[in-house]
Every structure is written in structure tokens, then in C-alpha cells.
Amino acid sequence: RKGRTPEEVVKKYLQKVKNPPEEDCTICMEPLGGPSGYKGPGVGPVSKAESVGRLAQCGHQYHFQCLVAMYNNGNKDGSLQCPTCKTIYGVKTGNQPAGKMEYHVIPHSLPGHPDSKTIRIIYNIPPGIQGPEHSNPGKPFTARGFPRHCYLPDSEKGRKVLRLLLVAWDRRLIFSVGTSSTTGESDTVIWNEVHHKTEFGSNLTGHGFPDPGHLDNVLEELRAQGITEEDALVE
Ligand code: APR
Ligand code: ZN
């Protein structure tokens, strides 16, 4: 990916559109037949022939410059996500700060999983300084409640979820830096979009067991981050 400009990244995932439909671009809300509503730094000129593109897999169409502006707003990792249907092009990564993920099996069963032992995952992230991939570069961030302990049944499906969580960790997608919806604190490490169970034998927070749908929900949330079973096989 190194050396690829934002324009080149976006172009890689686009097909040409000769005659734009009479619809608005849902990024800038301006007609696809006219110019992009995006102007200013980072948005270079574009020829008429390339002003609209179709995302190759999902087919949604946008102004080329709108997609470039959207890409520049993200963490510029070479991936692109369709803002309409969330299809991911390339490999999506996040901005989780440096830290450690460990796990081991403990010889106890979780409520609702009487036939399985338990996988305990321990996440540890120290406080630090935000980088260019965060919303306030150069500003410190706090890290509350670490190490955070999380639980999965040590069943076939639980182990599959673990494998995918390891991929999510490598892609920096388990945590993010932002404002905690629980405490209201800003510039702090927060869970990203993948739910974890942090209670073992009780369910006082709603983040405990039993919860029959939990593993399927997590698999769905991982899929929304672009992580599927194939990823666990190749990595
Ligand atoms: N356990 C697991 N997930 C949680 C918890 C929790 N105790 N609290 C919130 N979440 C989920 C929320 O449902 C939401 O989807 O994390 C997501 C982000 O919520 P925030 O409150 O912004 O996240 P964060 O500040 O990281 O979490 C708050 O979780 O593990 C604990 O020690 C941590 O007390 C802190 C709490
Ligand atoms: Zn547009």
C-alpha cells in the first residue's frame, strides 16, 4: 500500500460509469450528473469521464471526489467501506492503541454453557498519546478498567470467535479512542463495535451470561468489520 495516493486507492475499487443516473450522490447530496459538493484541500480536479464511479462489488455509485474525501477522513489504510451498504473493499483496520491481548482456558463453565470450559481473554492497554490516526493527535488518552477480562465458552463456536477476535486485534479493531458512552469521559480507550462479555458468573451490566445469541451476534459484528472465517484460516 505504501506510496499509493488516496486517488489510486479509491480508483482500484471502482468501475467506470459512462452515464451517471439521475440520482444524488449520498455522500454530498448533489446530483451525480454534476460536480461533487466536496472542495478544498486534498480534493484534486477530475475529468468528466471519471467524475462518477461504481463500487465494483456492491454497485453503489458516488462522485469520485466524494469517495476520495471520505477516504481522507478515515485512517487511510488502503481500505474503503461503502457508506450505503457497508461492503468493505480491501482490509479494514482501526486505530486501537498499542497493548496486549492474552487468553487461556479456565476450568469453569459459564451460565448457559454447562458442557464447556471457559476462555478468558485479557486485554491490556496503557494510557498514551494520540497519533495521527486519532481525533486529537498529540493529546494524551486515558485507559480505564484495564486489564479488561472477557469470557467465551470453550466450545467449537467460542473458539472460532476467539480466532476471529485475534484477527480483529491484529487489525486494531477491538478498541478505539474516543468518548465513553458509559462514563462520558473523552479521549479515552473505548470498546469498538464488537461486543464482549466482561462478567463471568452474573449479568448485572447486561454484559454477562447467559445470553444464547451472543456468539452469533459477535460473528455478525466481526463480519461488519470485514472479518470472516476465511480470515482465521489464512492468518
Ligand atoms: N462490558 C462489556 N461491554 C461494555 C461494557 C462492559 N462493562 N460497558 C459498555 N460496553 C459496550 C457498550 O455496550 C458499547 O457497545 O461497549 C461499547 C462502548 O461503550 P462505552 O461505554 O463507550 O465503552 P467503554 O467506556 O470502553 O466501556 C465502559 O466497560 O469493560 C468495561 O472497564 C470498562 O467500565 C468500563 C466499561
Ligand atoms: Zn458526491
Side-chain angles (χ1 to χ4, degrees), residues 2-170:
K2 282 201 197 88
R4 204 170 254 152
T5 67
E7 281 83 359
E8 285 166 342
V9 171
V10 170
K11 223 167 260 180
K12 198 165 62 133
Y13 303 126
L14 287 181
Q15 298 169 334
K16 293 211 160 68
V17 174
K18 277 201 192 116
N19 301 304
E22 289 187 17
E23 287 165 18
D24 290 346
C25 167
T26 55
I27 298 178
C28 71
M29 304 301 170
E30 301 288 336
L32 286 170
S36 158
Y38 271 89
K39 294 176 185 70
V43 183
V46 69
S47 73
K48 182 87 186 156
E50 291 192 324
S51 83
V52 172
R54 179 192 298 110
L55 285 170
Q57 204 182 315
C58 64
H60 290 114
Q61 299 183 29
Y62 304 96
H63 291 117
F64 175 67
Q65 289 166 316
C66 287
L67 288 171
V68 172
M70 188 186 80
Y71 181 79
N72 282 329
N73 262 328
N75 53 5
K76 303 187 200 57
D77 59 7
S79 79
L80 196 68
Q81 188 159 21
C82 175
T84 301
C85 67
K86 312 297 176 200
T87 295
I88 296 168
Y89 296 82
V91 177
K92 177 178 172 162
T93 62
N95 64 7
Q96 167 188 291
K100 222 161 67 176
M101 174 183 185
E102 295 175 316
Y103 63 91
H104 51 248
V105 174
I106 52 177
H108 301 283
S109 297
L110 291 161
H113 300 277
D115 301 328
S116 302
K117 294 179 186 177
T118 298
I119 299 165
R120 174 162 58 198
I121 305 173
I122 304 172
Y123 293 111
N124 215 341
I125 294 183
I129 306 290
Q130 296 180 56
E133 72 275 40
H134 298 122
S135 25
N136 296 306
K139 197 174 168 186
F141 63 84
T142 57
R144 308 292 183 194
F146 289 96
R148 295 190 187 186
H149 290 198
C150 309
Y151 303 96
L152 290 170
D154 187 25
S155 58
E156 202 170 313
K157 201 185 259 187
R159 287 188 290 270
K160 171 164 138 188
V161 168
L162 174 65
R163 286 197 301 276
L164 300 190
L165 288 175
L166 289 163
V167 175
W169 173 265
D170 284 341

